[in-house]
């Protein structure tokens, strides 16, 4: 299918590193959630309260609800990542149920990893049709460290920043920064009033 050929999941290097740390720390399984941009880049991975065993991780609905309520961008939480510990990477029946439990009107990115640094990534959509795109490439997005200095050079070469001009206030009130689009007391007089003064 052509659409699948171009599909890939990207993940911020920082997010991937956190996932590997938690994978190493967990004896068995663990789950975390992440945000997804419109370009399908996973980032901002976070843990939530959970009870894990060697072979399962419960996606507790109450903990999930609490997580989403306190998240600054709950509508962006569209990635579910979990580890299988020392087991292989595959989608278990429980995983399929979990993915369906996270159904939404956009999409869900799921990534399963293990301690051997293996992974599997998929995208599920429910609207307008239920579709699963499995075994997608997972690309790690490394921030370009040189971009900042290049941007600074270009910024300094092209942008002149001027401080706001402070106009003296003749009535002896504290001086206000000059703000042509904002005047206290109802804004600029309208054109007809201006004309009236000159008649
Ligand atoms: Zn699983």
């Amino acid at each position: 299918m052509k659409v699948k050929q171009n599909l890939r999941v990207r993940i911020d290097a920082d997010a991937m590193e956190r996932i590997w740390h938690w994978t190493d720390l967990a004896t068995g399984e663990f789950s975390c959630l992440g945000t997804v941009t419109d370009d399908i880049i996973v980032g901002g991975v976070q843990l939530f309260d959970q009870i894990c065993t060697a072979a399962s991780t419960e996606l507790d609905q109450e903990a999930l609800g609490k997580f989403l309520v306190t998240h600054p961008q709950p509508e962006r939480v569209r990635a579910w990542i979990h580890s299988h510990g020392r087991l292989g990477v595959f989608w278990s029946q429980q995983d399929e149920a979990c993915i369906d439990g996270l159904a939404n009107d956009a999409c869900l990115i799921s990534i399963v990893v293990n301690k051997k640094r293996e992974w599997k990534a998929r995208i599920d959509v429910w609207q307008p049709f239920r579709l699963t795109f499995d075994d997608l490439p997972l690309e790690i997005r490394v921030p370009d460290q040189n971009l900042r200095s290049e941007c600074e050079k270009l910024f300094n070469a092209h942008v002149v920043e001027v401080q706001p001009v402070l106009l003296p206030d003749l009535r002896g009130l504290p001086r206000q920064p000059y703000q042509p689009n904002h005047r206290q007391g109802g804004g600029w007089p309208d054109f007809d009033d201006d004309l009236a003064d000159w008649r």
Side-chain angles (χ1 to χ4, degrees):
M1 189 191 282
K2 203 177 171 190
V3 67
K4 193 182 165 180
Q5 281 174 5
N6 299 322
L7 264 185
R8 60 186 173 158
V9 174
R10 285 186 290 169
I11 183 163
D12 283 338
D14 170 274
M16 200 68 232
E17 203 176 328
R18 283 167 198 265
I19 291 164
W20 292 136
H21 280 308
W22 290 328
T23 301
D24 291 341
L25 287 165
T27 311
E29 298 212 0
F30 85 91
S31 270
C32 65
L33 292 165
T35 54
V36 178
T37 66
D38 292 336
D39 302 334
I40 320 183
I41 301 171
V42 178
V45 292
Q46 286 183 54
L47 288 173
F48 52 90
D49 296 341
Q50 55 198 281
I51 294 166
C52 304
T53 68
S56 75
T57 164
E58 295 256 326
L59 209 59
D60 182 87
Q61 290 302 314
E62 199 183 320
L64 196 62
K66 203 169 96 186
F67 176 86
L68 291 173
V69 161
T70 53
H71 197 283
Q73 289 182 298
E75 73 285 356
R76 289 274 174 209
V77 180
R78 297 275 187 253
W80 173 56
I81 304 106
H82 78 292
S83 165
H84 277 178
R86 298 189 187 283
L87 299 177
V89 287
F90 58 91
W91 306 110
S92 69
Q93 262 189 346
Q94 194 192 16
D95 294 341
E96 296 288 349
C98 189
I99 286 167
D100 271 325
L102 293 167
N104 62 73
D105 55 6
C107 67
L108 180 79
I109 316 290
S110 301
I111 302 170
V112 57
V113 300
N114 68 12
K115 284 180 182 285
K116 286 192 271 180
R117 297 291 189 265
E118 293 170 329
W119 51 262
K120 210 169 162 63
R122 70 189 253 183
I123 300 178
D124 287 88
V125 291
W126 286 266
Q127 287 177 11
F129 309 105
R130 178 75 178 90
L131 287 171
T132 299
F133 303 97
D134 200 358
D135 293 316
L136 296 177
L138 180 67
E139 290 177 11
I140 304 207
R141 202 177 67 138
V142 181
D144 187 343
Q145 301 296 346
N146 296 318
L147 206 56
R148 169 82 190 189
S149 62
E150 188 194 323
C151 286
E152 264 176 13
K153 267 186 219 156
L154 289 168
F155 188 86
N156 293 334
H158 293 285
V159 181
V160 176
E161 288 189 307
V162 180
Q163 293 298 315
V165 179
L166 292 177
L167 294 179
D169 189 308
L170 297 176
R171 288 166 297 176
L173 294 169
R175 299 197 311 174
Q176 300 288 335
Y178 176 54
Q179 293 172 317
N181 294 322
H182 175 74
R183 252 173 44 152
Q184 284 182 332
W188 297 102
D190 65 40
F191 189 61
D192 283 337
D193 286 343
D194 256 0
L195 271 184
D197 292 336
W198 290 95
R199 281 181 201 134

